[in-house]
Amino acid sequence: MSIRFPGPGLVFDYVPRSFQIFGMEFTIYGVLIAVGALLGMGIVTLEAKRNGEDQNRYLDMMLISLLVSVAGSRLFYVAFSWGFYKENLNAILDFRNGGYALYGGLLFGFLAAAVFCRITKMSFWQSADIACPGILLGQAIGRWGNFFNRESFGEYTNLPWAMQIPVSAVRSGEVSGAMRDNLLTINGISYIQVQPVFLYESLWCLLLFLLLMAMRRKKKYEGELFMIYLAGYGLGRFFFEWLRTDKLYIPGTKVGISLVISAALFVIFMPTVIVRRVMVQKRAVIRRQRRKRFLDEAEKESRNKKDNLDMEAVMKTEEEARTEDGKQVESDEKQENMKKAEQNVNWENSEYTHIPEQWKQDVGNSPTNSKEEL
């Protein structure tokens, strides 16, 4: 059956739900989920390599989380659609025709990743930061499976990008009164005209993916990218879920469970991201101020030490100069005394040279003898 976008003039005359290869049937929904998962894991392993982490360990974590998340998303959908499945228990195991809840997959997948990180002693927050861009890319691709399944659309609209789907191709419970009141008949086929919510969500996930890829080098703390992902996706999903007609309701109420979860994710994690980022920046400012004070004190101490060394050098120089002067004076005095002593005992050049030798000794030893006694 065809799917039409009358605003831009796009008409897809034949949009199959599945195809066959060698007699085996493959749903396009499942193929797109698998392609999204493979590309997402490729992004995760590349990011792990960029961060110097073990790529094989991250690949193991993603494979385990993916298997657990598929089972979890199915259980979540069945739990909140029990009114239908309690009468069709065999349909629970029919995985080919949709019936998955993303929040159930995220919850079980993250729990599996947390257990894996605990066992392997990996940091869960760092692992989540590395993994969330890949998860977003997988979501952006996987959402196009809803296009082929003719599901995840919104209420009636006449916007230029409205999507027209044959009413016979969708579940009757998803057709609202406004859609029935505005049925269109084209070539004998009745169409509902609705919001292409799957397209909105796919583009929103792609935008978040680009945002996280741009921020991954500028994050301030471990887990920041993961919390931005949860808050950002919750914000977008809240509005997309508001438009959808195939909501999963809390039992006994008309309150959509995904609507509540989306609001909670945004309310909890967006303030957390902002507060933690502000605190990290303040701590960084405090560290810079402390470092500046430390460097200033070290520089001041260095200057004081240098001044003290200069003063000691000057004092030492002055002391050495005084010592040299003293030695010079002492040397001069000593030389003067030696000259005087030489003058006193120099008999060869004195007037007593004619005195006999024994008298010279007496005269030298007895300074009281005079010339007249001789």
Side-chain angles (χ1 to χ4, degrees), residues 299 341 352:
E299 184 178 357
Y352 302 107

Side-chain angles (χ1 to χ4, degrees), residues 248-259:
L248 295 176
Y249 295 103
I250 297 174
T253 71
K254 284 295 182 179
V255 180
I257 181 63
S258 295
L259 202 68

Side-chain angles (χ1 to χ4, degrees), residues 259-297:
L259 202 68
V260 173
I261 295 174
S262 299
L265 289 177
F266 179 76
V267 170
I268 293 172
F269 289 105
M270 183 53 69
T272 303
V273 168
I274 295 173
V275 170
R276 288 200 61 182
R277 193 172 182 87
V278 171
M279 291 177 62
V280 168
Q281 291 175 342
K282 285 185 176 180
R283 284 197 292 266
V285 171
I286 292 173
R287 284 196 298 269
R288 285 196 297 269
Q289 291 175 346
R290 288 177 177 174
R291 179 176 176 81
K292 186 176 183 301
R293 285 198 301 268
F294 174 78
L295 292 175
D296 291 342
E297 291 175 358

Side-chain angles (χ1 to χ4, degrees), residues 99-336:
Y100 298 90
L102 179 68
Y103 280 133
L106 291 179
L107 175 61
F108 282 82
F110 288 139
L111 286 175
V115 172
F116 182 88
C117 290
R118 182 65 179 270
I119 294 173
T120 58
K121 302 187 184 305
M122 294 169 59
S123 169
F124 171 74
W125 294 109
Q126 182 185 22
S127 302
D129 279 348
I130 292 174
C132 57
I135 295 172
L136 278 170
L137 183 61
Q139 289 178 239
I141 296 172
R143 270 303 169 194
W144 281 90
N146 301 133
F147 170 76
F148 291 92
N149 271 8
R150 284 86 165 170
E151 59 188 6
S152 296
F153 51 81
E155 188 54 89
Y156 166 78
T157 183
N158 58 0
L159 291 171
W161 53 84
M163 179 174 65
Q164 295 174 348
I165 310 174
V167 68
S168 60
V170 299
R171 290 185 284 266
S172 59
E174 298 174 7
V175 181
S176 68
M179 294 178 193
R180 294 186 185 278
D181 293 339
N182 293 277
L183 283 176
L184 301 171
T185 302
I186 303 172
N187 298 327
I189 300 175
S190 296
Y191 288 84
I192 56 174
Q193 185 166 295
V194 296
Q195 299 261 15
V197 175
F198 80 92
L199 178 61
Y200 302 161
E201 187 167 340
S202 178
L203 293 176
W204 181 251
C205 289
L206 182 61
L207 179 63
L208 286 176
F209 167 75
L210 296 175
L211 175 65
L212 293 187
M213 292 298 286
M215 290 186 62
R216 69 192 193 281
R217 298 179 185 275
K218 301 177 183 179
K219 70 176 186 177
K220 300 297 183 180
Y221 54 88
E222 298 294 344
E224 182 180 17
L225 297 183
F226 177 59
M227 287 191 284
I228 291 175
Y229 159 66
L230 293 177
Y233 181 73
L235 175 64
R237 181 64 184 270
F238 179 84
F239 291 102
F240 306 147
E241 195 69 19
W242 189 274
L243 297 173
R244 288 174 62 165
T245 59
D246 59 342
K247 298 182 182 71
L248 295 176
Y249 295 103
I250 297 174
T253 71
K254 284 295 182 179
V255 180
I257 181 63
S258 295
L259 202 68
V260 173
I261 295 174
S262 299
L265 289 177
F266 179 76
V267 170
I268 293 172
F269 289 105
M270 183 53 69
T272 303
V273 168
I274 295 173
V275 170
R276 288 200 61 182
R277 193 172 182 87
V278 171
M279 291 177 62
V280 168
Q281 291 175 342
K282 285 185 176 180
R283 284 197 292 266
V285 171
I286 292 173
R287 284 196 298 269
R288 285 196 297 269
Q289 291 175 346
R290 288 177 177 174
R291 179 176 176 81
K292 186 176 183 301
R293 285 198 301 268
F294 174 78
L295 292 175
D296 291 342
E297 291 175 358
E299 184 178 357
K300 183 178 179 180
E301 183 179 352
S302 177
R303 284 200 304 267
N304 292 337
K305 187 175 181 180
K306 183 178 179 181
D307 292 342
N308 292 334
L309 291 175
D310 292 343
M311 183 63 69
E312 290 178 1
V314 170
M315 293 176 65
K316 183 176 180 180
T317 302
E318 292 178 352
E319 181 67 25
E320 290 176 351
R322 286 195 297 269
T323 303
E324 290 294 331
D325 291 342
K327 288 181 178 179
Q328 185 64 36
V329 171
E330 183 179 353
S331 177
D332 292 343
E333 291 179 351
K334 185 175 181 180
Q335 290 179 0
E336 185 67 26

Side-chain angles (χ1 to χ4, degrees), residues 51-63:
N51 285 272
E53 299 292 323
D54 187 348
Q55 292 176 280
N56 292 327
R57 183 171 291 184
Y58 272 82
L59 186 60
D60 292 341
M61 181 186 72
M62 293 298 294
L63 287 173

